[in-house]
Amino acid sequence: MPKLKIDGKEIEVPAGLNVLQACELAGVEIPRFCYHERLSVAGNCRMCLVELKPGPPKPAASCAMPVAEGQEVFTNTPMVRKAREGVMEFLLINHPLDCPICDQGGECDLQDQSMAYGVGRSRFDENKRAVKDKDLGPLVETHMTRCIHCTRCIRFSTEVAGVEEMGATGRGEHMEVGTYIEKCLTSELSANIIDLCPVGALTSKPYAFAARPWELARTETVDVMDAVGSNIRVDTRGTAVMRVLPVLNEDINEEWISDKTRYACDGLRRQRLDTPFVRRDGALSPANWDEAFAAIVSRLRGMDGAKIAAIAGDLADAEAMCALKDLMEGLGSPNVDCRQDGAALGGGARSGWLFNTTIAGIENADAVLIVGSDPRREAPIINARIRKRWLRGGFKAGVVGPNIDLTYSTEHLGAGPQTLKEIADGSHPFCGTLKAAEKPMIVVGQGALARADGAAVLAAARKIAEDCGAVTDDWNGFNVLHRAAARVGGLELGLLPGMGGRDVASILDGASKGEIDAVYLLGADEIPMERLGKAFVIYQGHHGDAGAHRADVILPGAAYTEKNATYVNTEGRAQRGRRAVFPPGEAREDWTILRALSDPLGCKLPYDDIFALRRRMAGISPVFDEIGLAVPAEWGAFGTAGAMDDASFATPIANFYMTDPVSRASETMAACSRAVLGLGREATGTDG
Amino acid sequence: MNVEQAASFAFTPENEAEADKAVARYPEGRQASAVLALLDIAQRQCGGWLPRVAMDHVAERLSMAPIRVYEVVTFYEMYYDRPRGTHEVRVCTTTPCWLRGSADLVKTCEAELGIRVGETTEDGQYSLSEFECLGACVNAPIVWIDDDYYEDLDPEKLKAVLDAFKRGEAPKPGSQSGRQTSAPAPGLTTLTAKTAKEAR
């Protein structure tokens, strides 16, 4: 632990830090543009110059200077001030003076640091350089004349995203940051370069000229586009969600979010259900709440509980699911399921459905076996963590399932259960790799579990975990990677078929055969609606998607930005989402709808406010009392050993950009599907 | 880029062998170090410039991301990402050559070839460019044509060299003033004696 003096103040810092980090520990702010704690050191902006003793009589770049014993750092001497002024003047030489029309205005590092450390005038009389803007796709808008060549975007796409597409072409005065060939960025994390850009060179295309940062109200909440539970900040103006930004959480998303998390929010303004609907004479027509409730009560009252079923969708919050479970209990129905995709999860030990290693724990692993999962599309943030671990070296990854580029080198072991069987009985060579690893991980995806033989696959994965020493007292390397934000919450609450109850497949069977007469869909859109037969369908949700089209009664609910709600991520970490705006029109928070409906149905739910409901949830699972913590799970029995099908594991995500009602309604996500994946219709002349 | 690109690229068997040799110079895992050599081989094969398929081929061969190769090509002045003339005429205009009259050489080239700096003749024979120090200041001023330096030039001598090229000849590279390499221009000033005795 070297001791050094910073501006006369003595401080002891861990070895291996650089002077900039040491200054930060000492509470001294060092201006910087190119340095970023999660990227490699480039040292090319020169803004972090400080004076060092001992050392040559000139300023040194603190980001690239390791700390040393007995060093003296001066950050406020005339030399340092003059150096910063000089660097600032140079950086501004080619930077246009277009702050009034720049989207970065108000949250621009260059603006702020120019105010704090610049001289406020320029001696440059020649022509400024102009650079042609690049087309990087539907998400990132470029104004390359504003670029100060910090290379953060290049380093991000090369290091963190693992998709080497950006670079610096040309040299000196002619250097340009871009992709050289015109192409759109294909990384699922590409838009993070907008946050990284310290100037207005890379800005958000969908948010272009939409708002100024000081007009926005900020709400920190949780994302639901995947099961990672990324921490986000929702910026709103009036009733509109203007943009979504990441919030730092070292345990989950660090400071990144996926492009879907960031840009699906424009889907919140389209296709919304803002009033109840009742189907009359075959057509849905707007109604008020009383009419909608009356329509439901007239059908459900007196109906045999065994003929009623409920399915919770992928975006449902825990409060609503808890209320749904209690309502179905009140109606005497055991037919409840939260696993739309039919994954063989739940019913066994809690560790059998969690990402037990935790996301931060990935960094301690030294081998991973990925079974039937495409983490790059199912959970880009988790994939980035695995890549971060892989970059450090000494890490082996094997894949059973589709052979996909995951941005790190993987060994493709096989396509389906046959390979899994070989690994489970120890005859596959990768078994040796896992056994040799100190902390091996197994990641089982929904592509392997959402099949008829899912329980057998789960059991085989469990056997591998146990045989390879992936589960010890201080390490649990068995992981299930979910892709729905609601799923773990539903499993924790026990939204599973009760005694003699039906699961999703059986509910659909029953409905098509006429054995199920009423189905309550809580935001469930990803089931084959045509199989609901003649059943009376109540759809509660926020978007006019598949479920609403089939429904007989629609109850408008709130989207994730519009309710105070709890979500449990794939690690089993309960987090609270906060309301950023009110739901549109007549829409209400979901649990209140269920609570209100329970009264006329004659089984009034015993909670009148969200606190009572949350006490009820905590009574079911203590996870809901430990907000923000990944509660570790005991190792126990789960899965059912049995024969496995020969069919290969399929990837459950065909289109990363459209996986749920919100992203399917989003224009930006549609543009990405077209531009990046080449999906959907061709653009026509009226597309603008 | 509004440049007509080739559809595919592959090294000729001879160049393939050259490329193998270049790659073999570097230790296992450091193959990307051969990028400069491979690009040069590819550029010679493609007639003095690098179509994108050639850059992509080099990138694939060295397991590099294509953008890393594009960066290299655009960084160095001696790689071209668009078609050039058959003959590359590069005039050194850095201070020593400039003091020795390189500005006149630029004018001579422009007049003789009928193009300005940075342009290519219409028949596709000559491209003219200015270069920074070619590192042969002792023989300034210098013009670098294709793979050879033509040294100790003045407008007349340069015109003679260019005329020879136009006739399809290959003029003798090196000093055009008649001196041997960079021996003193006015003739020997020391070691002029025939025998050791005489020198004493």
Side-chain angles (χ1 to χ4, degrees):
Chain A
M1 297 266 285
K3 260 193 217 127
L4 62 161
K5 257 188 186 170
I6 295 171
D7 289 341
K9 213 172 80 184
E10 194 149 282
I11 183 173
E12 199 173 339
V13 299
L17 290 196
N18 58 42
V19 173
L20 192 151
Q21 287 168 319
C23 289
E24 222 146 61
L25 286 181
V28 178
E29 190 193 61
I30 305 286
R32 90 286 305 263
F33 294 108
C34 72
Y35 176 77
H36 192 276
E37 37 294 66
R38 281 170 225 284
L39 304 174
S40 62
V41 172
N44 54 12
C45 77
R46 313 312 286 176
M47 195 61 201
C48 66
L49 294 173
V50 294
E51 199 177 335
L52 282 181
K53 252 185 215 166
K58 61 169 190 174
S62 59
C63 71
M65 184 63 70
V67 291
E69 181 66 42
Q71 216 166 27
E72 277 189 85
V73 184
F74 304 92
T75 68
N76 208 10
T77 56
M79 186 213 269
V80 174
R81 276 200 299 272
K82 201 171 169 208
R84 286 172 180 169
E85 284 170 5
V87 169
M88 214 53 239
E89 197 177 343
F90 270 123
L91 286 173
L92 291 173
I93 272 184
N94 277 319
H95 192 82
L97 202 59
D98 62 354
C99 301
I101 55 150
C102 176
D103 258 339
Q104 192 86 351
E107 48 188 4
C108 175
D109 288 356
L110 192 66
Q111 221 174 24
D112 296 348
Q113 294 185 27
S114 167
M115 288 296 289
Y117 305 103
V119 275
R121 62 189 162 74
S122 173
R123 290 169 287 179
F124 185 69
D125 280 338
E126 329 319 295
N127 286 329
K128 282 182 184 253
R129 186 180 94 117
V131 182
K132 208 174 153 221
D133 292 343
K134 313 285 185 290
D135 184 1
L136 297 181
L139 301 180
V140 183
E141 175 85 64
T142 64
H143 299 276
M144 296 320 285
T145 304
R146 297 177 187 150
C147 178
I148 58 166
H149 299 170
C150 72
T151 70
R152 275 186 189 179
C153 53
I154 301 174
R155 284 175 283 147
F156 175 84
S157 45
T158 308
E159 294 162 17
V160 179
V163 183
E164 284 188 70
E165 297 175 305
M166 297 200 71
T169 54
R171 170 160 49 95
E173 168 97 345
H174 303 289
M175 174 173 157
E176 292 186 19
V177 171
T179 51
Y180 183 72
I181 47 175
E182 196 156 291
K183 65 179 293 207
C184 59
L185 302 177
T186 58
S187 163
E188 288 73 25
L189 297 168
S190 64
N192 287 300
I193 61 177
I194 298 168
D195 294 340
L196 286 173
C197 184
V199 299
L202 305 175
T203 54
S204 170
K205 204 174 253 182
Y207 173 74
F209 307 126
R212 284 300 195 185
W214 55 85
E215 305 175 303
L216 301 172
R218 297 154 182 212
T219 311
E220 294 200 357
T221 178
V222 180
D223 170 54
V224 299
M225 292 297 132
D226 52 32
V228 175
S230 296
N231 288 199
I232 54 171
R233 191 181 98 193
V234 175
D235 283 4
T236 56
R237 189 175 59 187
T239 56
V241 172
M242 301 304 291
R243 63 174 178 178
V244 170
L245 295 175
V247 168
L248 185 80
N249 188 329
E250 294 291 349
D251 290 330
I252 305 174
N253 54 312
E254 300 184 275
E255 59 190 271
W256 321 122
I257 52 174
S258 77
D259 290 353
K260 184 164 51 177
T261 299
R262 188 183 299 260
Y263 284 122
C265 63
D266 65 339
L268 293 168
R269 297 189 213 172
R270 295 160 50 88
Q271 295 273 84
R272 288 305 300 270
L273 300 170
D274 57 358
T275 182
F277 285 83
V278 175
R279 194 174 288 277
R280 297 184 181 108
D281 307 323
L284 285 167
S285 56
N288 60 33
W289 282 103
D290 288 337
E291 289 164 354
F293 279 6
I296 297 172
V297 171
S298 71
R299 285 297 297 266
L300 292 197
R301 189 154 252 182
M303 192 185 276
D304 177 10
K307 294 190 159 245
I308 308 174
I311 302 172
D314 288 352
L315 304 184
D317 55 288
E319 280 81 359
M321 285 191 286
C322 184
L324 179 67
K325 177 187 152 93
D326 289 345
L327 177 66
M328 296 318 275
E329 235 159 62
L331 292 171
S333 163
N335 310 319
V336 190
D337 204 342
C338 66
R339 304 159 302 181
Q340 269 194 106
D341 53 3
L345 290 169
R350 195 171 158 256
S351 49
W353 71 70
L354 292 185
F355 201 92
N356 294 298
T357 304
T358 73
I359 298 170
I362 293 172
E363 295 190 27
N364 300 323
D366 48 5
V368 65
L369 173 67
I370 297 170
V371 181
S373 176
D374 174 5
R376 180 168 168 192
R377 275 94 191 170
E378 289 168 37
I381 296 297
I382 290 180
N383 198 55
R385 273 289 175 131
I386 302 178
R387 179 179 157 79
K388 185 179 178 192
R389 172 62 195 88
W390 172 80
L391 277 177
R392 254 181 28 227
F395 182 79
K396 286 214 171 69
V399 173
V400 180
N403 189 12
I404 310 170
D405 173 19
L406 294 178
T407 71
Y408 38 88
S409 65
T410 53
E411 191 185 331
H412 188 234
L413 308 172
Q418 183 56 34
T419 317
L420 198 64
K421 217 182 287 168
E422 284 167 23
I423 301 174
D425 64 27
S427 62
H428 195 282
F430 197 75
C431 222
T433 309
L434 286 177
K435 279 186 179 146
E438 259 171 52
K439 293 185 168 177
M441 270 174 74
I442 290 149
V443 177
V444 188
Q446 302 306 303
L449 297 172
R451 3 189 301 155
D453 60 354
V457 172
L458 189 65
R462 173 192 151 82
K463 182 169 184 307
I464 296 171
E466 284 176 351
D467 291 354
C468 296
V471 183
T472 60
D473 289 343
D474 60 346
W475 176 254
N476 190 339
F478 181 84
N479 300 294
V480 172
L481 181 59
H482 289 269
R483 54 185 214 86
R487 195 75 77 247
V488 178
L491 293 168
E492 295 284 0
L493 289 166
L495 246 78
L496 298 164
M499 199 70 91
R502 293 163 179 269
D503 61 7
V504 167
S506 167
I507 291 171
L508 292 171
D509 267 352
S512 52
K513 284 185 198 142
E515 294 161 9
I516 293 284
D517 285 341
V519 181
Y520 199 113
L521 300 178
L522 180 64
D525 288 292
E526 286 85 13
I527 50 171
M529 295 296 165
E530 70 282 356
R531 296 196 56 212
L532 287 173
K534 291 202 170 67
F536 175 72
V537 177
I538 305 156
Y539 179 83
Q540 178 183 335
H542 40 79
H543 273 78
D545 208 81
H549 284 290
R550 170 60 186 83
D552 293 295
V553 176
I554 294 175
L555 305 176
Y560 67 109
T561 51
E562 295 153 6
K563 55 190 169 190
N564 292 311
T566 310
Y567 299 94
V568 188
N569 80 351
T570 191
E571 303 167 285
R573 186 191 303 272
Q575 300 189 96
R576 290 253 198 270
R578 288 176 194 83
R579 180 173 58 220
V581 288
F582 284 97
E586 289 295 309
R588 294 289 181 270
E589 286 200 20
D590 290 88
W591 79 269
T592 62
I593 297 172
L594 287 150
R595 164 68 183 75
L597 179 61
S598 69
D599 201 358
L601 281 175
C603 49
K604 189 170 164 188
L605 296 176
Y607 22 81
D608 292 332
D609 58 33
I610 199 161
F611 306 105
L613 171 55
R614 284 179 177 165
R615 275 197 297 280
R616 158 89 181 121
M617 284 155 54
I620 301 174
S621 167
V623 172
F624 295 103
D625 247 352
E626 307 274 358
I627 297 302
L629 294 179
V631 182
E634 290 284 314
W635 189 247
F638 56 82
T640 323
M644 288 185 281
D645 202 353
D646 278 341
S648 307
F649 297 134
T651 164
I653 296 189
N655 179 353
F656 163 73
Y657 296 102
M658 290 190 170
T659 50
D660 54 80
V662 179
S663 55
R664 277 194 292 268
S666 158
E667 280 182 322
T668 312
M669 291 294 100
C672 283
S673 312
R674 278 199 299 273
V676 182
L677 303 172
L679 295 174
R681 65 186 175 80
E682 287 290 304
T684 61
T686 52
D687 276 351
Chain B
M1 278 195 311
N2 303 320
V3 171
E4 204 177 313
Q5 296 279 352
S8 68
F9 173 86
F11 283 123
T12 60
E14 306 84 68
N15 285 343
E16 188 69 49
E18 282 295 307
D20 282 340
K21 240 196 277 176
V23 172
R25 278 187 212 128
Y26 302 97
E28 186 62 38
R30 295 274 182 269
Q31 278 71 18
S33 304
V35 65
L36 291 177
L38 261 62
L39 285 172
D40 183 49
I41 297 169
Q43 178 162 294
R44 284 167 194 276
Q45 183 179 322
C46 294
W49 72 290
L50 286 160
R52 199 158 81 225
V53 279
M55 295 191 264
D56 289 346
H57 181 84
V58 170
E60 204 191 315
R61 165 122 195 196
L62 301 175
S63 311
M64 296 168 76
I67 181 71
R68 299 281 96 90
V69 175
Y70 306 152
E71 285 179 328
V72 170
V73 169
T74 53
F75 184 90
Y76 289 105
E77 211 91 339
M78 281 138 72
Y79 297 118
Y80 301 99
D81 61 357
R82 53 204 62 207
R84 305 289 294 178
T86 316
H87 300 291
E88 258 327 312
V89 181
R90 312 157 175 111
V91 187
C92 176
T93 52
T94 307
T95 319
C97 283
W98 175 72
L99 288 170
R100 301 278 294 151
S102 67
D104 292 334
L105 299 189
V106 173
K107 271 187 214 143
T108 308
C109 287
E110 289 183 336
E112 283 299 305
L113 301 174
I115 48 173
R116 309 257 301 268
V117 168
E119 293 176 349
T120 302
T121 54
E122 276 195 1
D123 60 2
Q125 284 298 303
Y126 298 91
S127 290
L128 177 63
S129 50
E130 279 184 353
F131 255 62
E132 296 310 323
C133 188
L134 296 178
C137 315
V138 69
N139 288 30
I142 306 149
V143 175
W144 175 22
I145 304 175
D146 296 341
D147 281 339
D148 295 308
Y149 278 8
Y150 295 88
E151 302 159 346
D152 296 327
L153 292 166
D154 55 29
E156 284 75 53
K157 291 189 182 112
L158 177 59
K159 190 169 173 300
V161 170
L162 290 175
D163 283 343
F165 267 104
K166 282 181 186 165
R167 289 193 302 272
E169 297 166 14
K172 187 173 165 287
S175 173
Q176 303 297 307
S177 68
R179 66 165 153 166
Q180 183 189 6
T181 62
S182 44
L188 290 182
T189 51
T190 55
L191 302 177
T192 47
K194 292 261 180 344
T195 63
K197 203 172 180 186
E198 210 176 306
R200 247 185 264 121

